Each structure stands twice: as C-alpha cells, then as structure tokens.
Amino acid sequence: MAALADHARHTLDLQYYLMRDDASTRALLGRVDAAARRGVRVRVLLDDLNTAGADDALLCLTRHPNIELRLYNPFPAGRGSTLTRVLASIRDVRRVNQRMHNKMFVADNAIAVTGGRNLGDAYFVQSLASNFVDLDVIAAGPVVRDLSASFDRFWNSELAYPLRTLVTKDPDCAGPLAAAPPSPNGQRVVAGPQPVSSPDSPSGLPPADSPQERTSVEIPDSAFAQDLGAGRLQLAWVPATVLADAPSKIASEGDPDRSETIADDIVTLTRAARREVVLISPYFVPGKRGVALARELHARGVQLRVLTNSLAATDAPIVHIGYARYRRDMLEAGAELYELRSRLGAPRSRLGSFGSSLASLHAKALVIDRRLLLIGSMNMDPRSARLNTEIALVMRSPALAGQVVQLFEDVAASSSYRVEALADGRLRWVGQAPGAPTVEGSEPDAGVGLQWLLMLLSPFAPDELL
C-alpha cells in the first residue's frame, strides 16, 4: 500500500471499515499525505462506526486540499464517545447497525489492494500483543476499473457525508508532517498528522488495541515496491471478476434484494463445486441454510473444509455463540472443522513469524476445486450476508488457488485444532501439531468464566444479529 501511495501519479482511493490509531496507520497515511503534496487527488471513505472522538484527527488528515474524506453511514450527533453516539441514535438503531465493511486501496485506477485487511498494527503483524492472520490480493488491469466503479458508487451514495458537514470546528493540529531521520538500515519512519489532544489518544483516531504498542514502524522496501518502481510487476494474469454489494443494501434494513448483495453469488459458486470447498472465515455462523448446504455438498461427494477461530483466538466472542450453535450439526453434515489456536506453531507457508504475540484469524477466502478463488471482506455469517456491505474478487487460477489451499493446510496442521464429534454428544479438539494437546468437552485455552458468560448470553443472541 505504501508503494502504491509512493508511485501514484493522479489518484488514490481508500475505502475502509476501520483505521486504528497506531504506528502502522500513521506511517501509511504519511505516505498518502506525501502523495497529496505531489498533486495526487486523494479520496478516503471511512465507515463511521469506529471514529468516536476522532474528529480532530480526521480533520487534520484532510488539511491538505488534495485530500477529501467522507464518513459512511455516520452518527450525526454525540460524536465525542461511543456511548453518546448510541444514545443520540437510539431511534435509528436499524440504520446504524448496518455498516460499510468494504476494504480497498486503489492507485490511479490501475493497481489495487483488496481483501480482508483493515488499517492498523495488528493487521500488518506489528502489534506487540495480538496480530491477525489476514489476506489481501494485489490486482491490476481491467478488474481495477470495476473496483473503482464500486468505490465511486459508495463515494456518491447519499450515506457518504463529507466530513465538514458533520464537524464544523477547526482542529489544533500539531504541525506539518515530519519524517524522522533515516534509521541505520536506511528506512524512514514516518509520522502521520496528529492533532493536539488528550494524552489518552495522541492522534484522536480509534485507539490501538493495547497500551503496549509500537510508537513507530519502519515500512520496508519490499520486492513489490522495487518491482513497481522498476515497472516490472511479477503478477499472475488470470480471469477475474469483482463481486460487490450495492450501497443501497444498508437502506434495506436487513432484508436486501438479491441484486443488492453478493451472498447468493457466493452460495452459487459453492454449489458449483465438484470435489472440494475450502473455506477460511474468522467469524463463521453457518445457520440452518449453511448446514443444509454442507449436507448437500456431502451427498454429492464434495469435501467441505473450514478454518475459523477458536474461542480463545477470536476477537469477537459473541459471534462464537452462533458458530458453536451449529458446530456439531456441521460435523454431522460431513464438514471438516479446524479452529485456529491463539498461539501459532511454525507453519511452512509464507505466513511469517508472529513472535510472542497472540494470533487471531481475520482472512476471508473461498477455494472451489482448487481452481476458483475468492478473496474479500465478507465473513460467512448473517451480518455480512444481510446487514453489512461487502466486496470480493473472484479469480480463476489453479496456481493462486493452490497457494491459498497451502496456507489453509499449513495453518491447519501447525496451528489449529481439528474438531471431532464424540458419540456421547461432546466435542473433542485434536491438536494437529506434534505436542499439541487434545481437549474433550470444553473449549480449549478459553477461560471458564468466558464460556459460562457466552452460555448465559446464547438465548439472547439470534443468528441474524451475529
């Protein structure tokens, strides 16, 4: 992404659900600001759910006239905190419960990055506390125009509000962007624009996940950056299609028309499988429809393999209720279920090292017969299907599909539990790596208190809200 910002000549379009207040985001936005100062037109479209208290920082980000920021589906009142926002929107709960979950970074309508990744240390494996296993795809060629068209539809939507229509004050910014001196290895550490604000939130953006976070990061000169600078990108040229929800999905109040959502398209792709479906989804709530689809696939001899988070690994325990509710049904329907452990082993793939930090799955991918690959922002749960807007890229490529299957198999073998159903009604979690434990009857590595809490909340957590 930094390389795309560095080499952009005309436009940068950023569409995100979440931008954290941490070193990685500030470093990347520093590169975006530098592009604006070179004359590049920058448009930032950000969902408003996680921007409580961030108005000053967002205004400082847009102080250059070439940077325009719009907030999607905003909270118009009570902007100082999440509590005041919710209270001010209590009569509009249905609307504010639906969010723009799309993620893309597009340069010059020619090259784009899209997938499951938000902006923040944890999404770039830079957090000292916990990091996400995530997945993006770099796209070039005609398909990028389709991504840009989707961005434009959201940018021009009546739910996309220019920041200045919601916030009229003038922020006190800390001064111009400054680049730190080069580090010993020659890399620069870039700080983003920061307002003068409280010590609790030095930039005013949504706070980082842990108080023990990096104060700066170095953006390495990657092989992609070098190839981009030399004009010789090493890409696999394959047929590709964009699947994108319509902005009007949010106005549907949870009952979108088939033309507004890509959920049915994904089901259609899955049904087309002849041998194998590999699914990676951090938040997996199959519901009765998903169980029926698993049975249908099994009856046709199609192997369904699923990788999701364990309770100990997930960053959204409440969603785990919807997964656990159908876990045994999915196993009895013939599905293979793997749950990521909160501490990774030593995978053979290019996943990289997480050091001593905890891990959580955040990648979203679907592989059909090791030939068709989907990577996007959509989780396999009712919220993504009916409430949030999503986007995905579908590619027909055995080579790329094989890479994602290899990632699945490495993580399943080295860093996951395989879930099995026992005859007495209990479940068993079998550690796949040498020395990994086998646990029966209780969610592995998860506290008893958390398990009891979710058990108490389960009757009050219908699938459609998860």
Side-chain angles (χ1 to χ4, degrees), residues 392-411:
L393 194 61
V394 181
M395 296 151 280
R396 187 175 298 278
S397 168
L400 296 179
Q403 289 182 30
V404 174
V405 172
Q406 185 64 58
L407 174 66
F408 176 101
E409 293 180 340
D410 285 356
V411 173

Side-chain angles (χ1 to χ4, degrees), residues 134 139 192 226 294 333 376:
D134 223 323
Q226 295 173 11

Side-chain angles (χ1 to χ4, degrees), residues 156-441:
N156 295 318
S157 166
E158 61 182 11
L159 287 175
Y161 283 68
L163 180 60
R164 276 294 185 183
T165 66
L166 298 165
V167 185
T168 57
K169 64 179 179 179
D170 292 321
D172 187 6
C173 297
L177 282 170
S183 62
N185 65 2
Q187 302 301 325
R188 296 201 316 171
V189 181
V190 186
Q194 297 189 19
V196 176
S197 57
S198 71
D200 294 332
S201 182
S203 74
L205 287 168
D209 294 322
S210 169
Q212 298 180 346
E213 292 293 344
R214 303 179 189 275
T215 57
S216 62
V217 297
E218 296 179 355
I219 300 179
D221 188 19
S222 65
F224 172 78
Q226 295 173 11
D227 289 346
L228 184 62
R232 56 169 194 273
L233 287 181
Q234 304 293 320
L235 298 179
W237 296 101
V238 303
T241 301
V242 173
L243 297 180
D245 284 343
S248 58
K249 180 181 178 182
I250 285 183
S252 69
E253 296 188 347
D255 188 24
D257 185 81
R258 292 187 65 178
S259 64
E260 296 175 312
T261 177
I262 65 175
D264 287 338
D265 295 322
I266 294 176
V267 172
T268 299
L269 287 175
T270 305
R271 281 206 168 103
R274 297 181 179 180
R275 296 181 303 277
E276 180 189 59
V277 174
V278 173
L279 172 63
I280 303 174
S281 180
Y283 318 117
F284 180 52
V285 183
K288 294 180 179 179
R289 186 184 183 191
V291 173
L293 179 57
R295 291 194 180 109
E296 176 188 324
L297 293 173
H298 183 66
R300 291 197 286 109
V302 177
Q303 184 181 29
L304 173 60
R305 309 167 71 197
V306 179
L307 174 65
T308 189
N309 276 311
S310 66
L311 177 56
T314 186
D315 67 323
I318 193 71
V319 180
H320 194 82
I321 291 174
Y323 164 60
R325 186 176 288 152
Y326 297 99
R327 188 162 41 192
R328 187 175 184 87
D329 290 340
M330 290 293 293
L331 291 169
E332 292 176 348
E336 291 182 15
L337 298 183
Y338 297 89
E339 297 181 7
L340 186 76
R341 302 202 314 265
S342 59
R343 290 195 179 275
L344 298 187
R348 299 181 300 275
S349 68
R350 294 181 294 173
L351 186 62
S353 173
F354 272 51
S356 60
S357 67
L358 300 176
S360 183
L361 184 67
H362 198 259
K364 307 102 164 56
L366 179 70
V367 183
I368 307 296
D369 294 335
R370 306 200 179 198
R371 297 182 61 82
L372 195 68
L373 169 64
L374 179 148
I375 295 176
S377 67
M378 182 176 181
N379 298 298
M380 299 305 166
D381 61 13
R383 170 165 288 279
S384 283
R386 303 181 67 86
L387 297 176
N388 293 347
T389 63
E390 309 287 355
I391 194 164
L393 194 61
V394 181
M395 296 151 280
R396 187 175 298 278
S397 168
L400 296 179
Q403 289 182 30
V404 174
V405 172
Q406 185 64 58
L407 174 66
F408 176 101
E409 293 180 340
D410 285 356
V411 173
S414 66
S415 304
S416 301
Y417 294 101
R418 179 167 178 172
V419 188
E420 299 176 347
L422 300 177
D424 61 5
R426 296 183 303 155
L427 298 178
R428 176 166 60 200
W429 287 261
V430 181
Q432 299 295 286
T438 294
V439 180
E440 293 185 1

